[in-house]
Amino acid sequence: MMNGLINLRKIVACQLMLATLMLCSTGTLAQDATSLFSQYNDRIYQIRIIEQASGKQAALGSGFQIDSDGTMVTNYHVVSEYTNHPERYRIEFAGFDGSHGELALVDIDVINDLALIKRQDVMGEYLQLADSLPQQGEAIYSLGNPHDLGLTVVPGTYNGMAAYSLYQRIHFSGSINPGMSGGPVLNSAGHVIGVNVSTAGNQISFLVPLDRLAALVQRPRTGPIRLEDIHAVITAQLFENQQKVIGDLVNKEWLTSRFKQANIPNEIADYIRCWGMSGDNPDLSYENIMSVCSQEENIYLSGDFTTGTVVYQFNWLETDKLNILQFYNAYQTQIANVYPDNTAAKEDVSNFECHEDFHEKQSQAGDRTIITKGTFCVRKYKKYPGLYDVLYLGATVNENKGGLVSHFTLAGVSMEMAQQFTRKFLASITWN
Amino acid sequence: MELIVEITDQSGRSHQYRKVAGEKVTIGRAWDNDLILNDPAVNPHHVVITQDETNRLLITDLDSLNGTNNPDKQRIQGSAPLQVGEEYLIGKSRICFYTPDYPVVETVKVADIDHSIRLLDDTRFLVGASLLVTLLYAGEQWLNMFSGFKWQEIANVLLVVYAGVIGLTLFWVVIGRVLRHEIQFRKHLTLILIFTVIQYLTSKLFALIMFNTLNMTLSLAMMVFSEFVLVAGLLWFNLYLATNQTNVQRTRTAIMIASVMIALTLYSEIASRAEFSDSPDYIKVLVPPALQFGGGVSEDEFLSGASKVFTRLDTE
């Protein structure tokens, strides 16, 4: 997580300039924004998740109507309280003109954080989906209801697909704030090109692109999703996604790079980024060189449950100042606190079960045996059967004053994919 | 008439036996008494014990200021038959009267353990054990200093260890003082130091076994068992020093208290396992190659072991 901070700081510097540029150019955009706002504000709604017991709102987001049948689009994370506990909540909309009413859940796409909901009373006005994405640099307009302040239009720039993005998010240079989630992003013709989904702060925001939205809207369905099927639908989506994502990873040639005495996997896919973080704490009498690689997008399942994580990390420890026992004590502290890299709560997952054993491998020259204390831990998903969080922790123990810690977390994977990935991961670490 | 008088102090510990003989036995603070009591609550001539024509012993209070209480805690009015072997309160003094034919308790056989426990009084043991404790804990701390040597950290650790040892010693000393009216500080201290050393060494041994077997259940079972033996042993010896229990009673008490302590630890361990935790439970010990028993399995074998975790989880 610390590497994320460093990264952010780098990006923030450039971003400040961008913000000033944008301020200068808002004058020309204002005209379009005004007309878009007045033209389409009757198709955009606030989505409210109402707690049945208290009758009060538990979550707020935005949404927009996309057909004459009253179907609306919002983010999955806006309605996730409802999908997790349909008996405790209901979904409502509130229009710009004061209209409001109840909504039924039609379909969801947890991978792309989308949900379709439908009003009971049909009314006509709706937004059209665009035919294609804009050109990079084109002005686009995000609409929504930030912090419950009322319907707002935020002009910004289309900046193509975010780099290193597994699930293909549009990089929107403009501010999306809490409450705007699920709101539409329109091109200057007033057609939907994406859906507000998240922000990295400082005018960096992300949108679910048009094609993902179109795919969900056009998906054949016989009727609204049945409440008792929600978990099964999510399970199927997660299962299919991990089959594709992890399947692609294990079928790939993994690039490795020299890491002291070992060779370790590098950036094994174009959406995975590796960061170097070598602890150069002058007080420590041992060296700790670290490489952390991760896929930086999670799949949101509920407020305290994320999945889809792929993280792998290596630490090389060595010393010439400490004696053997001191080094092993230091080494021990490095492996003492391993946590999965995704978050989950008691109602989501079981406790971890582990398998521990020493596994060994010859160096490439065949002149020595590397022994690794391997720990393989798994917890199962309670609501999504067949999916697991998997965590591996290895520590080599054949050297007196040096060792390699290897670790990965895979969140929301099947047993088959976990096994294939683990096999590939272990095989990819080689020794000179 | 011949009488044995036992004078007991306020805490119930008898500190004097006196044999007195004569036609009658007088008790009081004045110098002409047969038994002189140094108690300001006692009259100069407080009580007299006489024998009637049927050789019955009588106790007579001589109109004293504070009176004489019989074993039933009633104030004696005039004369009353003497209850042999029972405790009277004369002024503030607690006194028992015995006749020479009064039975004594059976002789206790001196156990071998008494001889060994006497060794605990040996200064060499005390010095040796405290040196070992100091060395082990200071050494442990030294091995955990990764960012340079600091005397202060060593001092801190020793302070904590010795505070614990002395605290426990004082606890037993107090128990001994209450139950046996004896203070055996040095014996308790030596004993507790020796057990601290044993405890330290076994914990290191189990870390070694834990790493080499990578078997959590086995290691935990062994640890619980050894902890039980250690706690029961320490209790047994301390009880020996601090109480008057017989061997059987002592063993029973030690096992009972140790069982309760281990059961409580086990219960909290099991309860914490049942709780939801974000972090996996695995063996967090690493030992250098010289202390390792053997090599490892192939990666394929490791993977096939790993796949069993899924089945284990699904059958839960």
Side-chain angles (χ1 to χ4, degrees), chain A residues 305-319:
Chain A
F305 191 17
T306 59
T307 188
T309 318
V310 178
V311 175
Y312 48 97
Q313 176 184 335
F314 298 91
N315 290 64
W316 176 265
L317 276 78
E318 73 180 13
T319 186

Side-chain angles (χ1 to χ4, degrees), chain A residues 283 285 323 326 329 332 335 340 351 353-354 356 358-361 373 379-380 388 397 400 419 423, chain B residues 142 146-147 211 273 275 277-278 282-284 286 289 292 296-297 299-300 307 312-314 316:
Chain A
D283 279 348
S285 332
N323 68 38
Q326 282 177 323
N329 275 342
Q332 206 167 262
I335 63 140
N351 272 349
E353 276 276 341
C354 300
E356 291 191 83
F358 296 100
H359 54 82
E360 60 177 44
K361 161 183 269 179
K373 175 185 173 288
R379 63 181 178 193
K380 66 174 173 186
Y388 306 87
V397 290
N400 278 332
Q419 284 169 328
R423 184 180 301 276
Chain B
W142 173 62
F146 318 130
S147 45
F211 173 84
R273 256 160 210 253
E275 292 268 297
S277 163
D278 213 12
Y282 58 96
I283 289 166
K284 297 170 179 175
L286 291 180
Q292 293 169 17
V297 299
E299 283 175 358
D300 279 342
S307 61
R312 219 156 65 215
L313 265 176
D314 287 338
E316 243 171 34

Side-chain angles (χ1 to χ4, degrees), chain B residues 17-42:
Chain B
Y17 285 97
R18 212 73 79 64
K19 207 172 217 178
V20 283
E23 285 291 293
K24 56 177 187 172
V25 174
T26 58
I27 300 170
R29 202 150 40 81
W31 305 118
D32 60 354
N33 283 297
D34 297 317
L35 182 68
I36 303 156
L37 291 178
N38 175 25
D39 176 354
V42 170

Side-chain angles (χ1 to χ4, degrees), chain A residues 283-286 323-326 328-332 335-340 344-346 349-361 373-380 388 392-393 397-400 415 418-419 422-423 426-427, chain B residues 140 142-148 211-214 216 272-292 294-316:
Chain A
D283 279 348
L284 284 183
S285 332
Y286 62 93
N323 68 38
I324 300 174
L325 288 173
Q326 282 177 323
Y328 265 79
N329 275 342
Y331 194 10
Q332 206 167 262
I335 63 140
N337 286 305
V338 160
Y339 284 88
K346 188 180 179 173
V349 290
S350 69
N351 272 349
F352 276 106
E353 276 276 341
C354 300
H355 170 70
E356 291 191 83
D357 209 343
F358 296 100
H359 54 82
E360 60 177 44
K361 161 183 269 179
K373 175 185 173 288
T375 306
F376 181 87
C377 301
V378 183
R379 63 181 178 193
K380 66 174 173 186
Y388 306 87
Y392 168 82
L393 175 69
V397 290
N398 51 291
E399 268 197 59
N400 278 332
M415 170 176 158
Q419 284 169 328
T422 311
R423 184 180 301 276
L426 293 183
Chain B
E140 167 90 19
W142 173 62
L143 290 177
N144 276 305
M145 285 183 199
F146 318 130
S147 45
F211 173 84
N212 279 292
T213 59
L214 290 183
M216 190 82 98
S272 80
R273 256 160 210 253
E275 292 268 297
F276 175 72
S277 163
D278 213 12
S279 105
D281 200 7
Y282 58 96
I283 289 166
K284 297 170 179 175
V285 184
L286 291 180
V287 306
L291 298 172
Q292 293 169 17
V297 299
S298 68
E299 283 175 358
D300 279 342
E301 223 170 308
F302 177 78
L303 285 164
S304 80
S307 61
K308 292 194 186 96
V309 182
F310 291 94
T311 23
R312 219 156 65 215
L313 265 176
D314 287 338
T315 50
E316 243 171 34

